[in-house]
Amino acid sequence: MTTPGDLAYKAAMPLVRVADPDDPRLADYRELQALGQRSDPRRFIAESELVVERLLRSACPVASVLATESHAARLGPALAARPEVPVYVGEQAVVRAAVGFNFHRGVAACGLRPPAQRWDDMTSETCPLKNVPEDMLMSDTLARPSYTIALAQGLCDPANVGAIIRAARAFAVDLLLLDRRGADPLSRRAIRAAAGNGFAQAIAGVSDLVATVERLRGAGATVLAATLGPRARPLSAVVRPARLAILVGSEGEGLPEALRAVSDAEVTIPMAPDVDSLGVAAATAILLHALAGARPPGV
């Protein structure tokens, strides 16, 4: 059965049929297995119908889509809205061979990294992108009368990064700042854990976290550090300020003393006495729900 979405998609752009997994136009996908979990400095790969649809409906540049014909048809309306994106369609065996492993999702897309999320060589003092988030995103956010900023320090697990991105999107965080020494938010695992929500979430990497926190405070933000320390106030006792920044720390060590020292206060989630901590993703979601809530960004 042909749906209106199918017709709109086919009218917007003809399918580019591919029968050879070694087709040069599929080079981005063939390198997926070779990259493993390493970051590509120029691009990222989104997998699954839901995630690809969210990518297509976002403002992110998309280099191409690779899909079976049935998946391309179901993505018809989203593809019709992006007629500039080439869509390569092949049999499942061709798609699987091009990707290089048992790829059963049936659709992938190659996106181009925004400058603020380029994770390559970000610790280098000569990196020209080092101050991109301050220049491109932080200034706009800090100029607002009300906002929520979350900063995550040193997260090594891409799944935790993805889960925090998903929570940030769910609870209307205006800007999510990620430690560039941590996991890449556009790695395959992080994108999957975020369910594609990162494409609509303002995210930037930071290299000097202490300087970033000092800048937030200097611009009028109240900075709360999530800790288990004796100075931490229970979450229920915290009154949300209009300009809020929430800091969360690495999975094993938590926030270092240097970041706690430049924060305005520490906050903790009360738990049963025989439980030492929550995972960082769960704790961040609870903090954001309590302090940010599902409000429109900037309100």
Side-chain angles (χ1 to χ4, degrees):
M1 177 180 176
T2 301
T3 68
D6 298 337
L7 295 174
Y9 161 62
K10 291 178 180 178
M13 169 178 282
L15 301 177
V16 181
R17 302 200 177 273
V18 291
D20 182 1
D22 294 323
D23 190 312
R25 294 170 295 184
L26 306 185
D28 288 332
Y29 302 96
R30 281 200 304 278
E31 294 176 13
L32 184 58
Q33 186 180 35
L35 278 170
Q37 298 302 326
R38 291 181 292 114
S39 299
D40 185 302
R42 300 178 297 108
R43 64 200 170 177
F44 60 90
I45 299 295
E47 307 165 47
S48 85
E49 200 169 298
L50 172 65
V51 173
V52 170
E53 180 175 9
R54 286 178 171 167
L55 173 60
L56 290 167
R57 294 194 184 282
S58 76
C60 293
V62 181
S64 66
V65 173
L66 173 63
T68 64
E69 185 157 4
S70 60
H71 280 85
R74 287 196 292 271
L75 286 169
L79 290 167
R82 300 291 294 267
E84 79 282 6
V85 177
V87 183
Y88 302 116
V89 175
E91 298 292 333
Q92 179 68 44
V94 174
V95 173
R96 185 183 297 119
V99 174
F101 56 90
N102 189 17
F103 182 75
H104 61 274
R105 293 177 179 86
V107 59
C110 178
L112 302 179
R113 283 180 179 267
Q117 292 192 52
R118 291 181 186 166
W119 244 238
D120 58 314
D121 195 28
M122 283 301 181
T123 59
S124 169
E125 292 299 321
T126 61
C127 177
L129 297 168
K130 186 174 182 181
N131 294 317
V132 161
E134 287 80 1
D135 296 339
M136 295 181 63
L137 293 173
M138 279 187 64
S139 295
D140 289 344
T141 304
L142 295 177
R144 301 173 189 172
S146 176
Y147 54 73
T148 302
I149 294 174
L151 187 153
Q153 175 265 333
L155 302 187
C156 298
D157 186 345
N160 280 337
V161 171
I164 287 173
I165 291 170
R166 194 169 185 172
R169 179 69 176 155
F171 300 119
V173 167
D174 296 279
L175 178 60
L176 175 60
L177 300 174
L178 296 174
D179 185 350
R180 285 195 175 112
R181 291 165 295 185
D184 177 9
L186 289 176
S187 67
R188 291 170 56 210
R189 286 184 63 204
I191 291 173
R192 287 200 302 269
N197 283 285
F199 306 136
Q201 173 65 49
I203 301 171
V206 290
S207 299
D208 189 335
L209 277 67
V210 171
T212 298
V213 173
E214 289 175 336
R215 179 177 179 187
L216 293 173
R217 291 184 67 192
T222 298
V223 179
L224 301 180
T227 77
L228 297 172
R231 295 177 294 180
R233 290 183 286 166
L235 180 57
S236 59
V238 175
V239 177
R240 185 215 148 82
R243 295 172 169 174
L244 171 66
I246 303 172
L247 311 185
V248 297
S250 62
E251 295 95 333
E253 302 297 327
L255 286 169
E257 175 58 33
L259 283 176
R260 298 199 302 271
V262 293
S263 301
D264 290 294
E266 296 181 27
V267 61
T268 194
I269 301 169
M271 293 174 286
D274 57 342
V275 178
D276 58 355
S277 68
L278 290 168
V280 64
T284 302
I286 291 170
L287 290 164
L288 294 178
H289 177 265
L291 295 174
R295 59 183 184 82
V299 174

